[in-house]
């Protein structure tokens, strides 16, 4: 579920050596499955571990994950990085904002997961986002662009060179991507 690098494990052992015996670390997600999801790590005294928690054993300590956070911490990685600027603990949880779907889930669910986990975070830096409206019987994904993408002069490039290439590479059952957005500048456009 969570990969903790050797430097991060050593860092946690050092921190925990100054805590009461039996103290673990707790890895959690606040607002899991939402755009405002945030991951965190805290101390977890032995008496604060719940029966429903998942315990992950590492060398010298356990990482504890609550039941609600667990599905959103799949493929999470914790590292401790040292460079010329100093040291810092990094936590990457690609599924914190969106629950990962199974490989055999319906195409619509797998496409929505890809949009939420991969494409929309890229578009968000420009204030944009896309939504999957439908998959046509001919296998075309019909998308609605919103936010900064609505009325943007680069939307065709984003669609064909970015979104469509990414989707077709990951989902060979798709035959193409169609934009259903009205891109004429007007009151509906984002400025």
């Amino acid at each position: 579920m969570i990969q903790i690098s050797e430097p991060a494990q050593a860092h946690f052992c050092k921190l925990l050596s100054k805590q009461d015996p039996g103290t673990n670390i707790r890895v959690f997600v606040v607002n899991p499955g939402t755009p405002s999801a945030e991951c965190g790590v805290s101390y977890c005294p032995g008496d604060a571990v719940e029966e429903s928690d998942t315990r992950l054993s590492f060398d010298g300590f356990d990482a504890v994950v609550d039941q609600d956070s667990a599905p959103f911490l799949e493929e999470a990685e914790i590292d401790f990085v040292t460079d010329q600027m100093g040291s810092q603990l990094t936590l990457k949880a690609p599924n914190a904002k969106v629950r990962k779907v199974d490989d055999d889930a319906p195409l619509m669910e797998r496409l929505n997961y890809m949009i939420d986990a991969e494409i929309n975070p890229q578009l968000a830096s420009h204030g944009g986002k896309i939504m999957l409206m439908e998959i046509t019987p001919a296998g075309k994904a019909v998308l609605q662009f919103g936010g900064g993408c609505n009325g943007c002069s680069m939307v065709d490039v984003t669609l064909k060179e970015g979104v469509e290439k990414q989707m077709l590479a990951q989902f060979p059952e798709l035959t193409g991507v169609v934009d259903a957005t009205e891109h004429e500048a007007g009151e509906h456009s984002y400025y």
Side-chain angles (χ1 to χ4, degrees), residues 30-117:
V30 178
N31 300 320
T34 69
S36 61
E38 293 288 333
C39 298
V41 178
S42 66
Y43 293 120
C44 180
D47 61 358
V49 178
E50 302 287 332
E51 267 187 51
S52 60
D53 286 342
T54 300
R55 286 181 91 108
L56 306 169
S57 294
F58 292 92
D59 191 21
F61 67 94
D62 284 352
V64 180
V65 179
D66 66 272
Q67 189 174 2
D68 292 339
S69 295
F72 298 94
L73 289 170
E74 289 293 328
E75 301 176 12
E77 298 175 11
I78 300 176
D79 197 6
F80 187 70
V81 181
T82 303
D83 60 22
Q84 64 269 26
M85 301 297 288
S87 301
Q88 80 174 23
L89 196 64
T90 62
L91 197 158
K92 295 177 185 169
N95 299 306
K97 295 179 187 301
V98 183
R99 179 182 286 208
K100 187 170 168 88
V101 297
D102 292 329
D103 291 339
D104 61 352
L107 180 58
M108 191 93 163
E109 284 181 35
R110 290 182 288 137
L111 269 168
N112 273 321
Y113 172 77
M114 177 197 199
I115 289 167
D116 291 338

Side-chain angles (χ1 to χ4, degrees), residues 28 42-43 90 135 139-140 155 172 178 180 190:
F28 57 90
S42 66
Y43 293 120
T90 62
I135 300 172
K140 293 192 183 284
V155 76
V178 178
Y190 176 88

Side-chain angles (χ1 to χ4, degrees), residues 5-25:
S5 71
E6 287 185 20
Q9 289 183 48
H11 178 69
F12 286 134
C13 286
K14 182 179 173 184
L15 292 173
L16 290 168
S17 71
K18 299 173 185 163
Q19 300 300 312
D20 291 337
T23 301
N24 307 289
I25 64 163

